Amino acid sequence: MGEPITDGIPRQDGAEPYTSNSQGTPPPGYSFPTHKLAKSMQDSSKTPLVLVACGSYSPVTYLHLRMFEMAADYFNTHSKYELIGGYFSPVSDYYQKEGLAPAVHRVRMCELATETSSTWLMVDSWEALQPSYQRTAVVLDHFDEELNGNMGGMVLPDGETRKIQILLLAGGDLIESMGRKDVWASEDLHHILGQFGCMVIERTGTDVWEFLLSHDILYEHKDNIHVVKQVIYNDISSTKVRLFVKRKMSIKYLVPDAVMRYIFDNLLYSKKLTRKRDYVSYAFD
């Protein structure tokens, strides 16, 4: 299997079954960002929707940003949902992936990529700053607690509140990894796909629906899986960007200029990489 178009990370969820009280603790000084969430809905008959993309983002690239825009196009024209916001959720340093810059840098690069270029994309540092590795199901529960628990959902013009639907945004390679029992626990898959759902950006030349047909759990939750085709092929990856930096090659137009300057100012990826993967999965960036 080739490298996925997103840094969405297949979790080693087989170690522990899902439990609803698995959520980690808020880091000191942490506050959940809501400044770009839509304050009202244009069509109150629809369901408010938030997209969450988990990944390493070492570094964030233009393709990661494009994934959100492709998903937005889909929901603007084909859906009962109304998109009200989107979040990058960089993985914790405890993921111990090769080429993983410290969380403080990865969070900041995502912020630089979105703070002036997007009116609806934000960066949540909760996962990145956790003192232990957090599984995808736990991360999505965190967003649910913040958006529907602490914030109370979306307030409609008549004063009614409506639950915000949360979808995991992922590439086609990530959804295919869900067929691997050594990576995903069935309890977590049922929770992620049943309670939340998934928005899959499909690579040109692949067939996600064919894969769903062959996987029992994914097929059971097929109505909660949305698939959009990547019409314009783009194979930018963080792995290639890191390699270009190491080889002193240009990365302009692969990442936002602010991210490029940050990489060079902080001497990221220019030295020999020493972090080791904690499981064998060279396909995932």
Side-chain angles (χ1 to χ4, degrees):
M1 179 167 51
E3 185 178 70
I5 64 173
T6 175
D7 268 352
I9 298 170
R11 314 281 171 154
Q12 291 196 79
D13 289 348
E16 299 177 3
Y18 174 78
T19 54
S20 60
N21 63 350
S22 301
Q23 187 168 321
T25 56
Y30 167 81
S31 62
F32 183 71
T34 60
H35 57 291
K36 292 185 181 180
L37 280 178
K39 301 299 185 290
S40 61
M41 295 186 64
Q42 297 178 358
D43 186 345
S44 58
S45 69
K46 293 188 174 184
T47 299
L49 172 72
V50 163
L51 294 172
V52 175
C54 299
S56 60
Y57 305 116
S58 188
V60 62
T61 73
Y62 274 127
L63 181 53
H64 298 129
L65 298 168
R66 277 296 302 159
M67 285 182 61
F68 278 99
E69 293 299 320
M70 286 185 276
D73 285 342
Y74 171 89
F75 288 115
N76 284 339
T77 57
H78 297 96
S79 178
K80 64 180 181 180
Y81 298 104
E82 181 171 318
L83 188 58
I84 64 169
Y87 290 90
F88 284 98
S89 182
V91 73
S92 164
D93 286 340
Y94 288 84
Y95 181 55
Q96 289 292 301
K97 179 182 178 182
E98 183 180 1
L100 193 69
V104 63
H105 291 310
R106 292 180 288 109
V107 168
R108 184 55 186 151
M109 286 188 284
C110 287
E111 290 173 344
L112 289 170
T114 57
E115 61 187 10
T116 61
S117 66
S118 175
T119 60
W120 62 285
L121 293 180
M122 293 162 282
V123 183
D124 181 38
S125 62
W126 181 88
E127 180 184 6
L129 301 179
Q130 287 298 308
S132 62
Y133 174 76
Q134 301 296 313
R135 303 184 339 271
T136 305
V138 176
V139 175
L140 295 180
D141 277 347
H142 155 71
F143 278 94
D144 187 45
E145 175 63 22
E146 292 289 353
L147 293 168
N148 292 309
N150 297 338
M151 202 176 81
M154 171 63 75
V155 179
L156 303 180
D158 61 2
E160 176 190 355
T161 58
R162 184 166 297 165
K163 183 178 180 180
I164 297 170
Q165 182 65 45
I166 299 164
L167 287 184
L168 176 67
L169 178 62
D173 287 16
L174 180 62
I175 202 76
E176 290 182 6
S177 80
M178 291 181 173
R180 293 175 50 189
K181 294 182 179 180
D182 61 325
V183 177
W184 296 87
S186 59
E187 293 89 348
D188 278 28
L189 290 181
H190 280 297
H191 184 70
I192 292 167
L193 299 176
Q195 177 77 15
F196 302 107
C198 191
M199 172 82 246
V200 182
I201 306 299
E202 185 180 52
R203 278 180 182 266
T204 302
T206 62
D207 189 345
V208 170
W209 284 114
E210 181 178 351
F211 178 76
L212 296 182
L213 190 64
S214 66
H215 191 282
D216 291 342
I217 295 178
L218 298 184
Y219 188 76
E220 177 182 342
H221 298 291
K222 63 183 184 302
D223 291 340
N224 290 340
I225 299 174
H226 307 264
V227 180
V228 59
K229 181 77 71 175
Q230 186 186 15
V231 178
I232 300 176
Y233 182 72
N234 186 336
D235 68 345
I236 296 173
S237 74
S238 298
T239 297
K240 292 176 182 177
V241 171
R242 294 193 300 268
L243 181 60
F244 277 28
V245 173
K246 185 178 180 181
R247 302 302 185 207
K248 296 182 171 55
M249 298 170 65
S250 172
I251 58 171
K252 192 172 180 62
Y253 308 124
L254 298 179
V255 300
D257 283 354
V259 173
M260 179 178 67
R261 288 193 295 270
Y262 187 91
I263 289 172
F264 294 142
D265 289 346
N266 290 275
L267 304 177
L268 300 180
Y269 314 123
S270 57
K271 298 180 181 179
K272 183 178 180 180
L273 303 176
T274 57
R275 288 187 181 272
K276 297 181 179 179
R277 300 176 192 271
D278 54 1
Y279 69 104
V280 178
S281 180
Y282 65 86
F284 299 98
D285 181 19

